[in-house]
Amino acid sequence: MSNMGARVARLFRNFNLENRVHREIGKAKPEAAPRHQTHIDPVQSTQVTEISDAIHKRNDPLLGFLKSVYVESKDPTEAPKEVTEEKEERRPLIFSLPGDPYGIVEIIDVPKGKLSIIEALQALNNHKNAPQTWTLDKVALEYSLDLKDTKALLEHFIPFEVKIIPPKMEDAKKIKDI
């Protein structure tokens, strides 16, 4: 069945093919836009040759610098030498969420000078609620932070504050549960 459809399609495709080809060939073709005339000033041609000569000229001071360069390569198939890793100091978490939130592995310690998100929010909230108790120095000491980092943290970050504004009138429209 599909063979019959291919035959019909081929018949229509090849119908009057030669006349269609001659008609396309006989059509007038669009002419290409004329090219701009180019001319090079004699001054420019001398500049071009001078630049070309300067590029290809041997520069002895640069060659001297190039000869003083020493490149040392290593075989990539050799096993690399053991690199001694410096262990960074870590401190235990002061505050963390209970349980295993979001299926993430429980973090038990962080590098000194860094905070977990929960600790950062706790430190910001403590400073906001009691700035006389939680001073810049106390926060830096408590969380093992640099003073300049602690100052930037307390100065530029503010924890969210949720405020619920009651309606002015008691008979205001309220959304009720269904």
Side-chain angles (χ1 to χ4, degrees):
M1 288 291 248
S2 66
N3 192 11
M4 184 65 169
R7 285 184 183 175
V8 172
R10 191 177 314 116
L11 179 69
F12 282 116
R13 189 175 57 232
N14 293 338
F15 177 75
N16 203 9
L17 181 66
E18 191 173 341
N19 287 341
R20 287 186 288 153
V21 169
H22 284 295
R23 193 175 334 131
E24 280 297 318
I25 292 174
K27 283 184 181 177
K29 304 291 185 250
E31 293 183 19
R35 295 191 176 258
H36 293 287
Q37 293 181 354
T38 58
H39 62 283
I40 298 176
D41 294 335
V43 176
Q44 284 184 338
S45 66
T46 56
Q47 289 176 348
V48 170
T49 55
E50 288 174 5
I51 293 171
S52 177
D53 291 342
I55 290 173
H56 297 293
K57 181 181 165 187
R58 182 183 179 111
N59 194 334
D60 291 328
L62 291 179
L63 285 174
F65 290 143
L66 184 61
K67 288 179 182 176
S68 67
V69 173
Y70 177 72
V71 178
E72 183 177 318
S73 63
K74 297 178 182 175
D75 188 13
T77 58
E78 287 183 18
K81 296 177 182 177
E82 292 183 23
V83 178
T84 57
E85 294 182 17
E86 294 181 17
K87 286 281 187 174
E88 58 184 17
E89 292 184 47
R90 298 183 74 84
R91 63 171 180 79
L93 280 180
I94 295 171
F95 182 79
S96 64
L97 290 175
D100 190 16
Y102 312 114
I104 301 172
V105 177
E106 181 75 23
I107 299 173
I108 55 173
D109 61 352
V110 292
K112 285 192 175 182
K114 307 229 177 185
L115 292 173
S116 69
I117 293 175
I118 297 153
E119 286 180 329
L121 291 173
Q122 184 70 29
L124 289 169
N125 200 26
N126 289 344
H127 177 71
K128 178 182 164 194
N129 292 336
Q132 292 80 17
T133 310
W134 288 91
T135 61
L136 180 76
D137 296 326
K138 182 173 181 183
V139 172
L141 182 67
E142 184 77 19
Y143 293 100
S144 303
L145 298 171
D146 292 336
L147 281 176
K148 70 173 190 156
D149 293 339
T150 308
K151 181 180 178 189
L153 175 74
L154 296 178
E155 187 177 321
H156 298 293
F157 291 95
I158 301 169
F160 289 112
E161 186 175 317
V162 178
K163 290 185 179 180
I164 300 174
I165 301 171
K168 293 181 181 177
M169 300 181 329
E170 285 298 319
D171 58 331
K173 291 183 181 179
K174 295 181 181 180
I175 299 174
K176 296 181 180 179
D177 286 21
I178 295 176

